[in-house]
Amino acid sequence: DLSEVKLQTLPKPEVKPGHALVKVKVAGSNPIDRLIFAPAQPPWWNYPVTPGLDLSGVVEAVGDDVTNVKVGDEVFAFSYITKAGAFAEYALLEASVLSKKPKGVSFEVAAAFPCVGSTGYQAVTDIGQVTQGTKLLVLGGSTAVGGIAIQVAKLRGAYVVTTASTRAYSFAQQFGADRVIDYTQTKWEEDADLKDFDVLLDCTREPETLARALSNGVLKAGGKFITVTDHSYGFNPNSRPNLSWAAFYGARQSTSNQ
């Protein structure tokens, strides 16, 4: 409930073993941050909680046994969903979630990328297992996750089709998909050329997405349906026997992906 959100002054966190204290420069906002304020509060947060998963900043102190970063390092991070804490002047994070910020990347870009970047990358590589010749349909090519997924998939040699509105059409084109369908003009499931795709990545939460894809032959039998927006599909990827993977997917924290 947003009426319960309060700005508070708290003591600076004390560094613990295995942790690093980061002076936050920029905090990134993600759709999942809204869950903190939802009426049905997620069970993985102990309230009151400081929201925010993505941040960039400068390491101010490190705890015992921390070797991957040092004081003064410019870093960015995608915090564990159970911890959050980016919407503050200082964030105490497990050092293992920190990556060093490349010199040519601004603090703003570094804070905007980790959660959506990890989601898009993992959906394509780990879950979709996209390789040369894979046919991938990305619903929502102008979204942050969709735009990243398209680029990763093209680098891996996939054939990629995506959707976008008229307003966002040109923006979606820049990510390099083989085709962009304007969904305000054409129903993607009725496109005659969209048949037998190996993977469908849903970044939009359109109604009845999976049913529409299956009834019109867009997604082939044994294909994969990955949604990063709609929890109603559940978390069990083996719940639909006619598909090899079908569920909601939320990114796991991985500095190697960052």
Side-chain angles (χ1 to χ4, degrees):
D1 186 344
L2 288 174
S3 67
E4 298 296 323
V5 177
K6 297 178 181 178
L7 183 64
Q8 293 183 312
T9 300
L10 302 173
K12 185 187 297 186
E14 295 184 4
V15 180
K16 301 186 294 186
H19 289 66
L21 181 65
V22 178
K23 177 69 172 72
V24 178
K25 291 282 190 179
V26 180
S29 179
N30 294 284
I32 196 169
D33 294 319
R34 296 177 299 178
L35 291 177
I36 290 180
F37 312 117
Q41 296 176 338
W44 52 76
W45 281 303
N46 293 317
Y47 291 83
V49 63
T50 301
L53 297 180
D54 287 351
L55 63 80
S56 62
V58 179
V59 176
E60 185 164 295
V62 296
D64 295 339
D65 302 325
V66 173
T67 58
N68 62 314
V69 294
K70 63 183 185 300
V71 173
D73 281 348
E74 296 181 347
V75 296
F76 66 101
F78 166 29
S79 178
Y80 289 108
I81 194 170
T82 54
K83 307 292 180 62
F87 294 175
E89 290 183 276
Y90 291 91
L92 182 64
L93 302 174
E94 294 181 26
S96 60
V97 308
L98 297 174
S99 297
K100 293 181 181 179
K101 181 180 73 65
K103 293 186 181 298
V105 176
S106 68
F107 283 106
E108 289 79 7
V109 170
F113 187 79
C115 182
V116 294
S118 297
T119 303
Y121 181 85
Q122 292 166 17
V124 169
T125 60
D126 298 353
I127 308 303
Q129 297 182 322
V130 170
T131 58
Q132 183 74 36
T134 299
K135 294 174 66 177
L136 168 67
L137 172 60
V138 177
L139 300 182
S142 65
T143 64
V145 173
I148 290 166
I150 292 167
Q151 295 174 79
V152 173
K154 288 305 300 177
L155 287 172
R156 296 172 74 88
Y159 173 73
V160 183
V161 177
T162 192
T163 62
S165 66
T166 303
R167 179 177 59 86
Y169 191 90
S170 296
F171 180 74
Q173 279 185 312
Q174 70 179 319
F175 299 122
D178 295 278
R179 285 187 63 203
V180 180
I181 298 173
D182 184 341
Y183 68 80
T184 67
Q185 305 296 321
T186 304
K187 292 182 179 180
W188 54 265
E189 70 270 24
E190 296 179 357
D191 188 296
D193 294 326
L194 258 61
K195 301 294 180 185
D196 295 322
F197 272 65
D198 302 291
V199 182
L200 191 162
L201 174 59
D202 169 35
C203 304
T204 63
R205 199 170 184 173
E206 295 181 22
E208 302 296 329
T209 299
L210 181 55
R212 289 155 61 194
L214 292 174
S215 64
N216 289 279
V218 175
L219 185 62
K220 72 179 186 181
K224 296 182 177 183
F225 172 75
I226 308 162
T227 177
V228 298
T229 58
D230 195 341
H231 298 89
S232 70
Y233 287 99
F235 300 88
N236 178 10
N238 301 313
S239 60
R240 292 166 176 83
N242 58 329
L243 297 173
S244 59
W245 207 101
F248 171 83
Y249 180 72
R252 57 181 175 79
Q253 201 289 324
S254 171
T255 52
S256 63
N257 291 165
Q258 289 175 187

